[in-house]
Amino acid sequence: MDLRDKLKDVIRERGLAMTLQESEKLAGYVGRMPTPLELHLFDTMWSEHCSYKSSKPVLAQLPTQASNVVVGPGEDAGIVRFCTCDGVDWDLVVAHESHNHPSQVLPVEGAATGIGGIVRDVYCMGANVTGSLDLLRFGNPTGVSGERARAICRGVIEGIWKYGNALGVPNLGGDTRFHEGYDDNCLVNVVALGFVRHDRIAHSFVPEEAHTEKYVLILAGKSTDDTGFGGATFASADLSDLTEKGAVQVADPFLKRVLSEANRTVLDMLFEKEIPFGFKDLGAGGIACVTSELAAHGGLGIHVDLDEVLVSIQGLPPEVIACAETQERYGLAIPESIAEEVLEIYNKSFELPRLFPGGGASIIGRFTKDPVYRVIHRGIEVACAPVNCITEGIVYNREWKSSPIPLIEPDSRPVDPPSDLKKMLLSPDGASRSPIWSYYDSEVQGTTHFRPGEADACVTVPIKGCKAGLAVSGDGNPWYGQLEPFLAGAHAVGEAVRNVVATGAVPIAATDCLNYGNPEKPDVFWQFRQGVEGIAHACRNLGLESEGEHPLPIVSGNVSFYNQSSSGGSIPPSPIVAVFGRIDDFTRATDLSLKTPGNIIILIGPREDELGGSLYYRSCLEHSGGKVPLFRGELEYEMARFVLDCAEAGISQSVHDISEGGLALAAVEMALATRKDARRGVILEKGFADPVILYSETPGYLIEMSPEDWEGISAKPDFAAIVGKVTDDFSISSDIWKLELSEVLEEYTTLLDRIIWREEL
Amino acid sequence: MKNRPLVAVLQFPGSNCEYETASVVRESGMDSLIFRWNQWKELSDSAPDAFILPGGFAFQDRVRAGTVAAKEEIMDLVFNQAQSGKPVLGICNGAQILVESGLVPGWENGRIESALAANHIHGRSGYLSRWVFLRAKKRALRVSPWLGMIGNSAIPVPIAHAEGRFVFAEEDLHRVSKCAALVYCDENGVETADYPVNPNGSFMNLAGIMNKEGNVLALMPHPERAFWMWQIPPWVPGVWGDRRTSLNHDPALAVEKGPGELFFRSLAGYFGLLSREEV
Amino acid sequence: MTEVSIAVRLKAPDPAAMTALSTLKRINPATCPCSLERYDYWRFIKPGGGKVTVEKIVSHFHDIVNPNKQSWSFSDESGSLHSWDEELVWTEVLVTDKVDSISENWTEILRRNKYEVERVMYSVLWRLGFPSGTSIADARERTLALTVTSHRDHGLLANPISQNISLLDPV
């Protein structure tokens, strides 16, 4: 049998995702038939998930550099400068990933390990994790596959609270949307953020010093088992076979919390003693990836002894020990001279072996000057490859074909505001998210100023003794994706920026997760390219921090392909973006609840006839429409600048961005957010019964301010105008219609509870 | 010489509110140190003046919230110190540990006399995060070192738990009112057993119970998350809501203390750290 | 049929069982079991259609059993789920919250979805394996002692104030 046939056989037998060509490339690197361990290692390294082999050439157009960027995409998380407090420079660390496929199969565990993975990415930069967000896309809960969609939604939220709450990381919201395009493939995107002292950033490669001093690799955490075996390649194959569950990991938040405390102690000790180290979490590809990458990125070789790995199942084959994706583990490269002290912290001070029987920390490898990746099991060499081939990527230039959707608008657009607004408020997309947030712990760590739903973005005060506030929001509209992939990308950035700006914070960085179907299909790859172009375009327009000099940098992110059903239908193109902002004095942050009767409401952003994908079309006309709002970059920038100026002047009493449901729904939401013993409402200007004015989702903002403050603005921009007045009547009205909000409040607040958790349909 | 009272905050495997809890103790004029579950000797040597068991998920609530942590050796020390009259506060998961160690209600030494059972809410199970109002019982205000400054009005604080419903044995019901420390109520101080005023179906609307002597308090809500005015949600009703609203965009929002601070100020008062006006 | 019950177990090692066992070993080294298994236990009271109905419910609601992570069987045939260690002497104890939203909610959901079940009751079933040579009576006595948390030094698996505890008959 020649090599080619042998490779063909082994790919089939082991269920590898790599192509024959890729396996031949590997055989070329090692100069023989690759070992099983090498095959599994490279299967992971060259998976779409790890290698970005399809997306890399397209992603190159994303703006990733700006003057505040410390670490751009490439390491586990991105880092930007945040603030200086008492002479200490603090940096913001952010990461963003998807855990879509595992969550479809095992919603609780999938969502839990999604948080686990992303939080580890931030921890391993040396940061304290101070927040996470979940960006969720489920199938239509009342549609043909509603039963499954509801069960998955329940499960995912259970996974988030059971894991995230236990971890002690406050949940800073995110968003949840329902669309039948996700019936067979939900999306669970997770963002984590944290803070690190600028002089204490940890890096995921063995340091320079290892060339002259003996360095060892410590593996710390849960004992290795077979549960995650194959997980990374799993994320890159379609969901046709739901029996593929060995691939899903079991999360252990309790161990993770203790491990994080132990890591903190170890890292602090290393920094205090000024000992250089490398630190990396274990994710896809397990031990094999972490050891090879720590070594390769530091220009060294490594000699790994699998017999030193703490395992919970005896007799595992070497490729399983090396590649299993057991959760809650970290790899640490340190000088041999300090190893005993470090092991003592993990195993004695924090008692990992007692708390997780079989777990703990042990030395599993030694770095070598010889640039070879070598793995030994029972005295036999089970992998031997030159390290440079590990860092050498793999790239495909995928074909793409422009496939725009024809524009179809509804024939007529009847308007009856009280009834339209009720329909929108009482739809799964328009209803209050509070039933979901009620499961999340948004206040642990005691740093939260605005919880989910209180303002357009969550605001926290993360650094003790420092007045700088962090605002964060994540967005992405699947209906825009379905109709116009470019605008979906642009508006994902635009809306997240608006949410952050509405609180009075200046956007300083963004992350993205690009969720699409099969990139081998030219129309899907076109959607992907369009989405990335949209994001890049919007980021270039919204460099607010540098006053336009630099773009808004994308500092971390993830691509998730193969989101499709067994029948091959792709999800709606779903670029999801998170934006992070800073407000120098958090006491100036603005929430969305109406404050004072007699105040006026200013509309920022003229309304345009572009209701494609709008909540009004979907809820009231059962039509998707075609003409999605344009992204007007310069105007977006100017509007945001104006909102920030008002915030700085302290004249905005409440602010809400205009998105789903348009101006009318935005005003209603501002009223619904008021204190129950100080209810407020809105009277709109005369004659407002036009769908474009009321419901168009053209980007914009509503700002509440006193008439005097409005008069005091000397240069009023032409995109700003008075549209209504705040009243002490809990309603929304114009001269010809009125909706009492007390009529809808209860149903609006409990709708998702009833549909999702109580199965009341 | 020790010039400020030392409050020990215990860290069990899986605790997650220890840092912010220790921090608000310091903000209240006392010293605070975090002790790991196995730092028995260090804890004993430093002779703390009071103990706090913070919130979190000790042992991930496995088997039953609080029960595994209650068996940790360090709890023997807490038990003895509590017996000797030292103030002990369990917040949320800490309260669950106190109940599972038999420290509260503590009618009979070491006997388990209460449970913090799973929330009982119509149509809902699992974890619940929510802001509630609390009112302290008269006797508790008098005897508990944690409640002296609470006053008679309703105070807003958040809850965040899946197992927070106080339950007692039939034969003990006659004496439950003696251990009642805090109850759930509305913003006007009116008690009802209805959700969401009583957010978990707790017996007698109990949010916190204490031992006979009053020095040990098991409290389900999180006062450390309502320590500063800026932690109070903008939509909170009532008097505290008025204060919060009046601080909108005011730099004082950063430094004004919130309702949760009263618990820690009470302890400072107990240690004689407050001036006459403050008391 | 007046009642059909099912036992559900994780395919992966159950972390709660692991922690429970290591805790028992620490606090009661002399009497603790060598093996401990944990099951979700669902009782369906008066199911019209008996096991067929329950089978339908189980295959419908992945919240109750997700076949991707759990195995289940009817409790009267649950032998297939157990890790039979012939050497050990096994006991089973059922722990049920006296008041329980999970059971109430599922009763309502099933009613709303037109399943003929009068009531659903959720419990946790613990299965304890004692060293060979332990008499059945001794094993049962130890099981109760390890289960009923009456004092800070006694018992772990159930709090009798809020939970009903029933020792099942030997299989």
Side-chain angles (χ1 to χ4, degrees):
Chain A
M1 210 184 336
D2 71 359
L3 182 68
R4 183 162 244 246
D5 291 332
K6 277 197 214 159
L7 288 168
K8 239 187 243 172
D9 285 353
V10 78
I11 287 172
R12 200 188 54 247
E13 284 160 16
R14 294 193 164 263
L16 302 177
M18 65 167 54
T19 63
L20 182 61
Q21 289 70 32
E22 288 166 355
S23 70
E24 285 178 323
K25 183 172 176 174
L26 170 59
Y29 280 146
V30 295
R32 57 178 154 73
M33 174 71 189
T35 67
L37 199 162
E38 288 161 355
L39 284 161
H40 282 283
L41 170 59
F42 282 85
D43 199 43
T44 301
M45 298 285 243
W46 289 345
S47 69
E48 199 66 68
H49 177 80
C50 295
S51 72
Y52 297 90
K53 60 189 170 190
S54 300
S55 55
K56 211 183 280 173
V58 180
L59 296 177
Q61 61 180 305
L62 288 175
T64 56
Q65 288 309 314
S67 52
N68 61 344
V69 175
V70 179
V71 176
E75 287 202 57
D76 294 270
I79 303 184
V80 290
R81 288 195 173 262
F82 189 72
C83 70
T84 303
C85 180
D86 293 337
V88 178
D89 290 333
W90 289 95
D91 292 349
L92 168 69
V93 185
V94 294
H96 190 161
E97 248 196 29
S98 64
H99 226 220
N100 306 337
H101 299 92
S103 302
Q104 180 74 18
V105 183
L106 282 176
V108 181
E109 290 72 15
T113 50
I115 299 178
I118 201 70
V119 157
R120 274 199 306 280
D121 285 336
V122 175
Y123 274 129
C124 78
M125 305 304 290
N128 286 324
V129 184
T130 59
S132 71
L133 288 83
D134 300 279
L135 305 135
L136 311 174
R137 303 290 179 269
F138 300 114
N140 180 355
T142 56
V144 281
S145 299
E147 189 175 280
R148 191 160 41 123
R150 295 190 300 272
I152 289 175
C153 176
R154 282 194 296 269
V156 163
I157 286 160
E158 183 182 336
I160 292 170
W161 77 252
K162 282 197 169 156
Y163 191 91
N165 294 359
L167 213 51
V169 173
N171 188 303
L172 304 179
D175 69 346
T176 305
R177 304 204 189 218
F178 302 96
H179 185 295
E180 62 198 6
Y182 305 117
D183 279 356
D184 290 329
N185 195 128
C186 68
L187 301 185
V188 174
N189 283 196
V190 209
V191 172
L193 60 96
F195 289 86
V196 65
R197 278 175 52 163
H198 187 71
D199 56 350
R200 290 196 165 188
I201 295 172
H203 288 286
S204 50
F205 48 83
V206 63
E208 191 63 37
E209 285 73 7
H211 286 270
T212 49
E213 192 182 345
K214 267 191 193 166
Y215 264 64
V216 294
L217 186 101
I218 285 183
L219 179 68
K222 197 166 170 175
S223 51
T224 299
D225 53 28
D226 64 343
T227 49
F229 197 53
T233 43
F234 176 63
S236 307
D238 70 53
L239 275 191
S240 51
D241 181 14
L242 290 188
T243 56
E244 210 182 330
K245 25 270 132 233
V248 180
Q249 312 101 328
V250 179
D252 193 331
F254 151 63
L255 179 68
K256 168 75 128 285
R257 170 77 192 174
V258 179
L259 190 53
S260 303
E261 289 291 298
N263 284 338
R264 180 84 270 150
T265 307
V266 169
L267 264 48
D268 282 347
M269 183 265 279
L270 294 172
F271 278 119
E272 293 300 330
K273 296 191 173 177
E274 296 181 357
I275 297 170
F277 63 93
F279 189 48
K280 189 170 169 58
D281 73 308
L282 273 74
I287 293 171
C289 275
V290 82
T291 50
S292 59
E293 287 183 13
L294 273 166
H297 291 289
L300 287 174
I302 187 169
H303 183 119
V304 179
D305 188 348
L306 292 181
D307 298 318
E308 299 299 328
V309 175
L310 299 169
V311 290
S312 60
I313 303 170
Q314 294 308 312
L316 292 174
E319 64 273 20
V320 174
I321 300 174
C323 299
E325 290 170 9
T326 312
Q327 290 280 294
E328 332 302 3
R329 297 178 300 167
Y330 291 86
L332 177 67
I334 46 166
E336 190 171 26
S337 54
I338 195 85
E340 271 314 308
E341 201 171 323
V342 167
L343 291 175
E344 174 100 4
I345 292 175
Y346 285 115
N347 295 334
K348 295 276 165 31
S349 303
F350 287 86
E351 295 189 273
L352 292 184
R354 165 165 90 90
L355 300 177
F356 196 90
S362 63
I363 297 173
I364 67 161
R366 280 153 209 291
F367 292 91
T368 59
K369 277 188 205 144
D370 180 19
V372 174
Y373 179 68
R374 183 175 283 120
V375 182
I376 306 294
H377 180 245
R378 309 253 157 95
I380 296 164
E381 187 174 276
V382 287
C384 181
V387 285
N388 56 4
C389 70
I390 288 162
T391 46
E392 190 146 318
I394 187 164
V395 171
Y396 290 110
N397 285 303
R398 301 281 187 201
E399 280 178 31
W400 53 277
K401 186 173 131 263
S402 170
S403 322
I405 304 284
L407 281 181
I408 304 168
E409 283 286 307
D411 298 331
S412 72
R413 302 191 293 197
V415 174
D416 174 8
S419 141
D420 297 339
L421 287 170
K422 264 192 191 175
K423 280 184 192 150
M424 290 191 255
L425 286 166
L426 304 180
S427 69
D429 280 309
S432 166
R433 266 56 192 144
S434 59
I436 296 173
W437 298 326
S438 72
Y439 286 94
Y440 298 165
D441 186 346
S442 295
E443 299 178 314
V444 63
Q445 300 187 4
T447 56
T448 307
H449 180 40
F450 292 152
R451 282 143 288 264
E454 294 175 357
D456 280 0
C458 279
V459 174
T460 68
V461 191
I463 295 158
K464 212 177 144 33
C466 176
K467 281 187 117 179
L470 172 86
V472 59
S473 172
D475 294 278
N477 186 325
W479 288 273
Y480 293 179
Q482 181 183 304
L483 296 168
E484 226 297 354
F486 172 84
L487 288 173
H491 284 305
V493 177
E495 164 133 37
V497 163
R498 282 196 301 281
N499 284 335
V500 163
V501 164
T503 66
V506 183
I508 57 171
T511 58
D512 62 354
C513 186
L514 305 159
N515 308 272
Y516 291 86
N518 180 348
E520 296 156 47
K521 294 182 180 171
D523 56 328
V524 171
F525 203 67
W526 172 78
Q527 294 171 340
F528 169 70
R529 291 176 55 103
Q530 289 284 296
V532 174
E533 277 170 29
I535 291 173
H537 176 71
C539 285
R540 281 194 292 268
N541 276 283
L542 294 171
L544 286 149
E545 195 197 19
S546 57
E547 313 222 318
E549 199 173 312
H550 298 286
L552 174 67
I554 299 272
V555 294
S556 185
N558 170 236
V559 179
S560 173
F561 283 131
Y562 301 97
N563 292 290
Q564 58 192 7
S565 64
S566 48
S567 56
S570 299
I571 57 160
S574 306
I576 294 178
V577 171
V579 168
F580 308 83
R582 183 190 58 239
I583 180 163
D584 291 330
D585 177 354
F586 79 90
T587 65
R588 305 199 80 94
T590 307
D591 67 80
L592 66 80
S593 65
L594 296 172
K595 301 291 183 315
T596 315
N599 274 352
I600 51 173
I601 295 187
I602 311 297
L603 166 69
I604 309 296
R607 305 295 82 202
E608 304 283 345
D609 189 349
E610 43 189 16
L611 286 95
S614 67
L615 187 56
Y616 163 67
Y617 275 11
R618 279 147 42 213
S619 299
C620 305
L621 311 183
E622 290 177 17
H623 199 291
S624 67
K627 200 176 162 204
V628 168
L630 290 177
F631 182 84
R632 301 168 179 89
E634 268 176 51
L635 179 61
E636 278 280 355
Y637 181 91
E638 292 305 325
M639 292 194 302
R641 204 59 265 171
F642 180 72
V643 173
L644 290 172
D645 289 345
C646 289
E648 201 144 305
I651 58 176
S652 343
Q653 299 196 14
S654 61
V655 182
H656 192 15
D657 88 309
I658 297 174
S659 58
E660 278 195 300
L663 182 166
L665 205 66
V668 168
E669 287 167 351
M670 293 171 85
L672 289 169
T674 52
R675 287 169 53 171
K676 71 173 188 181
D677 59 348
R679 286 297 185 194
R680 304 287 179 254
V682 175
I683 297 183
L684 294 173
E685 295 283 280
K686 280 185 185 165
F688 270 15
D690 175 339
V692 174
I693 292 176
L694 290 175
Y695 310 136
S696 171
E697 297 177 7
T698 304
Y701 304 81
L702 294 181
I703 304 181
E704 174 194 356
M705 62 176 75
S706 71
E708 300 77 46
D709 284 335
W710 172 244
E711 283 315 312
I713 298 174
S714 50
K716 294 189 183 63
D718 52 9
F719 53 70
I722 299 175
V723 285
K725 208 161 63 185
V726 181
T727 70
D728 59 3
D729 182 42
F730 193 34
S731 67
I732 180 163
S733 59
S734 81
D735 54 341
I736 45 176
W737 57 268
K738 181 173 187 179
L739 172 67
E740 296 289 350
L741 293 175
S742 50
E743 275 175 38
V744 292
L745 179 66
E746 172 70 15
E747 249 189 288
Y748 163 79
T749 316
T750 59
L751 186 97
L752 287 185
D753 208 4
R754 284 178 283 120
I755 293 181
I756 305 293
W757 281 275
R758 299 193 221 164
E759 297 253 321
E760 283 176 21
L761 296 164
Chain B
M1 194 189 81
K2 205 157 74 173
N3 39 19
R4 306 213 301 176
L6 173 66
V7 180
V9 175
L10 301 194
Q11 176 189 54
F12 293 93
S15 296
N16 65 23
C17 303
E18 60 272 42
Y19 295 99
E20 59 267 37
T21 304
S23 153
V24 300
V25 169
R26 280 177 220 126
E27 294 285 352
S28 305
M30 294 164 279
D31 276 340
S32 184
L33 286 173
I34 295 171
F35 293 89
R36 210 168 45 240
W37 62 90
N38 54 9
Q39 291 180 318
W40 203 96
K41 191 174 176 311
E42 290 87 336
L43 180 64
S44 172
D45 289 350
S46 61
D49 301 290
F51 296 80
I52 299 182
L53 283 62
F57 286 71
F59 291 92
Q60 209 190 328
D61 289 357
R62 287 173 187 170
V63 184
R64 209 165 52 256
T67 191
V68 176
K71 317 283 186 199
E72 285 287 309
E73 222 178 312
I74 203 162
M75 283 307 293
D76 294 342
L77 198 149
V78 175
F79 194 89
N80 292 334
Q81 294 289 302
Q83 297 280 312
S84 74
K86 294 266 173 74
V88 178
L89 170 66
I91 301 171
C92 195
N93 190 228
Q96 293 162 337
I97 298 171
L98 289 180
V99 163
E100 287 284 344
S101 354
L103 267 164
V104 283
W107 292 308
E108 285 156 45
N109 210 347
R111 175 174 163 255
I112 308 298
E113 295 162 328
S114 178
L116 276 163
N119 299 348
H120 185 226
I121 303 168
H122 175 72
R124 193 186 194 284
S125 61
Y127 198 85
L128 177 67
S129 293
R130 210 186 160 88
W131 277 71
V132 296
F133 281 88
L134 297 182
R135 197 161 49 75
K137 289 294 201 185
K138 283 218 174 61
R139 177 170 174 270
L141 282 174
R142 216 172 51 238
V143 301
S144 170
W146 303 98
L147 301 176
M149 306 294 290
I150 298 282
N152 292 314
S153 55
I155 56 169
V157 284
I159 57 158
H161 60 247
E163 299 170 42
R165 179 167 53 95
F166 282 103
V167 181
F168 303 88
E170 193 74 34
E171 68 268 22
D172 286 328
L173 293 185
H174 66 280
R175 50 180 170 178
V176 169
S177 63
K178 287 184 193 144
C179 74
L182 294 135
V183 290
Y184 297 111
C185 59
D186 68 12
E187 67 271 25
N188 302 312
V190 179
E191 268 185 67
T192 83
D194 299 332
Y195 180 81
V197 171
N198 175 338
N200 54 26
S202 191
F203 182 69
M204 283 176 64
N205 309 316
L206 288 169
I209 64 173
M210 58 187 185
N211 64 348
K212 288 198 288 282
E213 296 73 20
N215 62 314
V216 184
L217 175 65
L219 177 67
M220 285 314 295
H222 284 275
E224 81 282 11
R225 300 182 183 183
F227 187 88
W228 302 103
M229 282 307 293
W230 56 263
Q231 294 174 311
I232 312 295
W235 47 264
V236 156
V239 183
W240 284 97
D242 293 343
R243 283 199 216 174
R244 169 70 182 81
T245 304
S246 72
L247 286 168
N248 267 330
H249 290 171
D250 186 334
L253 183 61
V255 291
E256 291 272 318
K257 304 279 173 58
E261 186 256 352
L262 296 172
F263 290 82
F264 305 96
R265 186 162 13 137
S266 297
L267 185 68
Y270 171 82
F271 288 129
L273 300 178
L274 303 182
S275 65
R276 181 166 300 194
E277 303 87 78
E278 286 173 300
V279 178
Chain C
M1 216 175 272
T2 58
E3 177 178 329
V4 171
S5 45
I6 64 163
V8 185
R9 84 173 281 184
L10 277 179
K11 291 176 176 171
D14 187 317
M18 213 187 288
T19 299
L21 183 61
S22 69
T23 307
L24 287 176
K25 279 185 176 156
R26 196 159 50 78
I27 60 174
N28 298 86
T31 58
C32 80
C34 353
S35 184
L36 184 65
E37 295 177 356
R38 184 186 174 280
Y39 300 81
D40 287 338
Y41 195 86
W42 298 85
R43 280 182 283 168
F44 299 87
I45 314 296
K46 295 200 184 151
K51 286 189 174 178
V52 178
T53 300
V54 171
E55 209 147 20
K56 219 184 274 175
I57 293 169
V58 168
S59 65
H60 242 77
F61 291 102
H62 278 198
D63 319 59
I64 296 176
V65 179
N66 184 332
N68 296 325
K69 65 170 172 183
Q70 292 160 315
S71 331
W72 72 281
S73 81
F74 292 110
S75 57
D76 56 2
E77 347 176 324
S78 62
S80 58
L81 293 182
H82 300 158
S83 50
W84 282 112
D85 189 333
E86 296 294 342
E87 300 287 292
L88 302 183
V89 178
W90 291 93
T91 60
E92 292 183 342
V93 63
L94 198 62
V95 178
T96 313
D97 281 1
K98 290 177 182 171
V99 175
D100 176 27
S101 293
I102 295 177
S103 304
E104 290 171 11
N105 297 342
W106 278 103
T107 301
E108 275 188 37
I109 288 173
L110 294 186
R111 195 175 300 150
R112 227 173 270 128
N113 283 274
K114 308 270 181 290
Y115 287 97
E116 278 183 63
V117 174
E118 193 184 282
R119 206 145 66 92
V120 186
M121 287 176 78
Y122 171 77
S123 309
V124 170
L125 176 73
W126 296 95
R127 216 168 152 260
L128 293 78
F130 292 94
S132 63
T134 316
S135 72
I136 300 269
D138 189 22
R140 287 169 67 81
E141 196 177 306
R142 282 199 210 174
T143 300
L144 270 186
L146 297 170
T147 302
V148 184
T149 314
S150 55
H151 188 274
R152 58 187 294 263
D153 297 326
H154 309 309
L156 176 73
L157 301 178
N159 183 330
I161 310 280
S162 61
Q163 297 176 308
N164 288 320
I165 298 159
S166 70
L167 197 55
L168 301 188
D169 290 331
V171 198

